[in-house]
Structures are given as structure tokens and as C-alpha cells.
Amino acid sequence: MELATHHEPSASATAQALSALFPTIVHMRFTALHRSLGLPPGPVTDEMIDALVNARLAETTDLDWKSELPPPKNLSASDFPKDIAAMANSRGGVIVYGINEEQKAATGRGDVGGLDENHERALRQVAISAISPPVFGLTIDCLGEQGRRVVAVEVPASVEGPHLILRNQFFGAPIRNDADTVWMQERQIEAMYRARFEERRNATEALDTLYQEAAAGRDADTRAWLIAVAQPRIPKLLHRPSREDTSNIIWRAKTLTLTFSTRRGTHPLEHVESTNLRPGLRRWVAVDAAHRQGERWREAWVSVHHNGAVTVATAVGGHRSGPDSYHAGGEVEGRDIEGAVSDFMALVRAVAEGSGDNEYNVRVGIEWAGRGPLTIFARDGFGYTSSAASLPLSRFTPIDTTVTATASDTDFHQQVWDLAQDCVNQGGVLQLSLLMSPF
């Protein structure tokens, strides 16, 4: 058992502890409502709704008032998809249901009734199924007591525009024009498509740079290294995290990873200096601690960047195979890849909990420049390592994907599982042995 045994608090207790430890980072949001009311980052509250009514706050490009919340039945045929797509096409914003307005200015609170789990799920589902490309990451707040309840829906900024909806048998692209929702003209749609393709090119270049930095200087000629990097598609971090903030994020990730995986195998987060971080270029670096433990074979380095990016670099080749024996540098055990992927994804989720970043571009690769092929192998039912089914690789092809960091626990667990499976399958290993099934 490679991971030290100690009592772990529950996920809910951990989240509460983290909120107390660094409230400026966890769940800090800065919405169009905060900006318009002149408020600092924080949660959307019932007091904010009273304030916008008292100030007779007017609708803008990123603020929209609605008197009623559409019911779940026939939701896709209502104005809800159009309003969500328009906000997404306009760099995001907030729609508040349950606000009476006159000439675009808020005049009072109404009541939308309750918002149960099924209704909320329907709102999120329609934003995915009735809009193309889908709009993910809605934040939905039900505020106020019975008789004066409102629902605030925050639509994230999107780089996937134009978002289209079906309009009279044809697709149209709605957009906000100050306080109104209008339809894009052909030239606007063309310009938005060009912006999407340009963003993708820039995102690829940013991921390339991040990966190259993380892989630089590793002794890949003597042992294989797993390099994992994640870049938020639209960075949202409002405050440069302190050393303590980042240490708490890593501590949170250590807890999260054990909701995906067992303690068997090697977890790189357990082998870095998580309480004595070093400053880097717009980042905090958790340096390797394995060498101090006399276990350089599981060397690991972790960085959390000020813009929400994350990198993990950990040696996965040449690990210990017995009390006094080691694998060759190009021999990698599948469960060590799983442990590194689990820790990396846990770190991404822990950062996103504080930053509000929804989507991350992710790349995971294994760098090996030594003699002979790279071999990924598994353990059989008796615990013995076997490379019988392995596919010798002259080069590991990095896995590129997009991760929804704020997905539900089950959906995020599935993303961890899929990423780890893509990694080990490439080397001929079929079954995962360290990660727990998400279902």
C-alpha cells in the first residue's frame, strides 16, 4: 500500500472546512448582478434581488428580467432556449425569473413558485438538447421565501458561438442587443464562427506551451514520465491565490482523488511538498518530496497557475517491482497511470470549485526517450505483473479532451474513468484496477 493511511473527512466536511480556510477562493462568483450593484465577488443572494428592485435596475446586454419561469412541460418550445442561447452568444449574463419590470427597469418581485430537482434538471437539459452547440454550466439559484421566490440563472460566457436554436423550421442565432434579444445577421454569424476557430487555435497553442513546460527537463531518457496539463477555456479566477489557498486546494484534491480511486498504487499528490509551495512564474509549485523519502523512483511535481491552469509531472517508469528490484525505465504499470490521472483530475476539480471555471482543455501524455519500446502492463488476479497483453509503443500519443470540471459527482467520475481508460488502452491494457467504477 503506497498511500499513507490516515483519517479522511467526508467530502461535505472538507468543503465546509475549505470555505472557512479560504473564503476568497471557494465559491466566489462575480456575476453581472454583482457588477451592476457594485458588489464584490460572492454568492448570489436574496438581498441582491431586493437591492436590484429597490434600485430599479435596468436590463442590459447581460441582465434580463422575466416575470415567470417556464414550466418543465414543453420547455423546449418556450422562450427559454432562445434566452439562454442569446446570453451565451453575448459573453454570458444573468436571467432573473420572478421580476416585474416596466420599460426594462425592475419594479418589483413576483413569485415563480418552487423549483424542484426535476424542474432544475429540465432547465439544464433543454440548454443542452435544444441549443446547438449545447450550453453547459448553467448556475441556477432559487432565492426568497414562499410568495416571493425568484430563480436566477447565470449563463456562462462561451467560446462555442454561435449557439443556434430551431426557428420556424430553420436554425437561427439569437443575441442580446442591449436590453433586447434579436437575431444575428449572416455577417455576424460568419464573424462568430471565425472567432470560434481562432479561439480553438489559440487554445491549442496554449496547451502546447503548457505541456512543453511541464515536460521540459525530465529524465525521459532513463524513465517514462506522465505529463498532464489542463487549461481553463475561459479563465475566471478573480484573485491571485496565496500559498495557503493553493495548499488547501491540493489538500482538497487529495481527498477528492480517493472518491475515484483506491489507495493502491502510487498517488503523486502524496509525494510533493504541498505545505511548502514555491513561487513560480504566475503559479505555485509543489516540488518533489519523494527524494527526501529515499523514493526518487516516484518523483512528482505539481503546479497551480494563477489563471486556473494545472500541471502534473510524475515519473511512472522504473517503479519498484519488489523489495530490492525495479522495473525498466520504459516499463509502466497501468495502475500508476490511473493514480496519476485520478490525482490530476481531482486537482482540476478542486481548482474549479474555487475559480468557477467550467470547461478545461486537457492533455495527458507519457514521455519516453530511452532505448526500447514503452510498455504498459497490468497485474493478474494473483497480483503478479504481466505484459502478455501489452502493445509495445514506440511513442505514446497524448490524449486531448475537454473536461467539464463542474459536472455532477457521477459525471465527473465518469470523465476520470474515461481519461484513464484511454491512457491504458493505448498500451493494450483493457481493465482498470485502481479506479472505482462510477456506477
Side-chain angles (χ1 to χ4, degrees):
M1 185 178 296
E2 308 291 4
L3 201 62
T5 302
H6 60 281
H7 176 70
E8 297 285 355
S10 68
S12 60
T14 300
Q16 293 172 3
L18 284 174
S19 297
L21 282 168
F22 50 106
T24 59
I25 296 297
V26 175
H27 303 306
M28 288 293 99
R29 295 162 59 191
F30 188 74
T31 68
L33 274 177
H34 292 86
R35 176 188 52 75
S36 297
L37 293 171
L39 297 174
V44 175
T45 65
D46 191 45
E47 290 74 20
M48 290 173 64
I49 304 301
D50 286 337
L52 75 87
V53 170
N54 293 336
R56 294 181 62 89
L57 201 61
E59 293 177 319
T60 60
T61 300
D62 53 7
L63 287 177
D64 192 11
W65 315 138
K66 303 289 183 183
S67 59
E68 297 181 357
L69 180 67
K73 187 175 181 180
N74 296 324
L75 187 59
S76 60
S78 72
D79 282 342
F80 184 79
K82 181 184 74 172
D83 295 333
I84 297 300
M87 279 292 182
N89 285 333
S90 307
R91 300 177 182 251
V94 178
I95 306 172
V96 185
Y97 295 88
I99 299 295
N100 300 320
E101 54 93 7
E102 185 176 332
Q103 295 183 349
K104 311 299 183 183
T107 58
R109 295 178 63 144
D111 181 41
V112 298
L115 180 71
D116 60 24
E117 184 178 345
N118 290 333
H119 197 168
E120 182 174 340
R121 185 182 298 114
L123 296 176
R124 297 184 190 280
Q125 183 58 40
V126 164
I128 296 171
S129 62
I131 302 173
S132 180
V135 176
F136 295 99
L138 297 184
T139 301
I140 302 175
D141 297 291
C142 186
L143 306 165
E145 300 175 351
Q146 187 173 357
R148 60 197 309 269
R149 284 192 180 130
V150 303
V151 170
V153 179
E154 183 186 359
V155 183
S158 173
V159 294
E160 291 294 335
H163 294 274
L164 309 176
I165 65 168
L166 193 61
R167 175 196 179 203
N168 300 325
Q169 306 302 315
F170 297 97
F171 281 101
I175 193 170
R176 296 285 290 175
N177 179 23
D178 194 21
D180 298 312
T181 296
V182 298
W183 297 98
M184 285 189 195
Q185 300 300 312
E186 183 178 8
R187 288 184 178 179
Q188 291 175 290
I189 294 175
E190 290 176 352
M192 193 163 281
Y193 273 120
R194 284 196 299 270
R196 184 202 291 186
F197 300 143
E198 180 69 12
E199 185 279 332
R200 287 182 179 176
R201 184 180 67 81
N202 293 338
T204 299
E205 290 178 354
L207 205 63
D208 288 343
T209 299
L210 200 62
Y211 187 90
Q212 291 165 9
E213 287 180 354
R218 312 301 173 194
D219 57 345
D221 57 334
T222 59
R223 52 183 175 164
W225 280 78
L226 183 139
I227 309 296
V229 299
Q231 178 87 20
R233 299 193 70 180
I234 304 177
K236 291 184 179 179
L237 264 179
L238 303 171
H239 302 280
R240 175 176 293 193
S242 67
R243 177 186 274 115
E244 183 183 10
D245 295 335
T246 310
S247 291
N248 287 327
I249 287 171
I250 295 174
W251 177 73
R252 167 66 168 153
K254 288 181 182 181
T255 301
L256 276 174
T257 194
L258 294 178
T259 67
F260 314 136
S261 67
T262 65
R263 293 179 177 274
R264 299 189 304 273
T266 300
H267 285 266
L269 286 180
E270 290 294 323
H271 303 292
V272 295
E273 293 275 10
S274 57
T275 59
N276 185 26
L277 303 179
R278 313 292 173 81
L281 178 59
R282 297 173 186 164
R283 71 195 72 177
W284 288 104
V285 180
V287 302
D288 172 61
H291 69 283
R292 290 195 299 100
Q293 303 161 349
E295 298 174 337
R296 185 176 174 275
W297 54 273
R298 49 185 176 190
E299 182 179 352
W301 297 76
V302 168
S303 69
V304 176
H305 295 233
H306 296 163
N307 68 350
V310 166
T311 71
V312 171
T314 183
V316 288
H319 276 201
R320 181 178 289 167
S321 58
D324 300 307
S325 59
Y326 295 85
H327 295 298
E331 294 178 341
V332 180
E333 190 170 346
R335 69 178 185 179
D336 291 331
I337 295 175
E338 294 178 53
V341 169
S342 179
D343 282 14
F344 164 68
M345 290 286 280
L347 192 59
V348 170
R349 190 158 175 87
V351 171
E353 286 178 344
S355 67
D357 291 317
N358 180 45
E359 290 187 321
Y360 275 79
N361 294 320
V362 164
R363 177 175 298 166
V364 178
I366 297 178
E367 298 296 313
W368 167 240
R371 297 179 61 183
L374 175 70
T375 304
I376 300 173
F377 57 89
R379 291 182 180 269
D380 61 23
F382 300 99
Y384 295 105
T385 57
S386 171
S387 59
S390 298
L391 297 174
L393 299 173
S394 58
R395 178 180 179 272
F396 185 95
T397 301
I399 308 296
D400 283 17
T401 188
T402 300
V403 167
T404 304
T406 56
S408 68
D409 290 345
T410 300
D411 289 345
F412 191 80
H413 191 163
Q414 182 68 56
Q415 293 178 96
V416 179
W417 178 274
D418 291 342
L419 182 56
Q421 195 162 51
D422 283 344
C423 290
V424 300
N425 284 174
Q426 189 171 158
V429 174
L430 179 62
Q431 302 293 339
L432 300 181
S433 61
L434 184 75
L435 293 183
M436 298 177 286
S437 172
F439 299 106

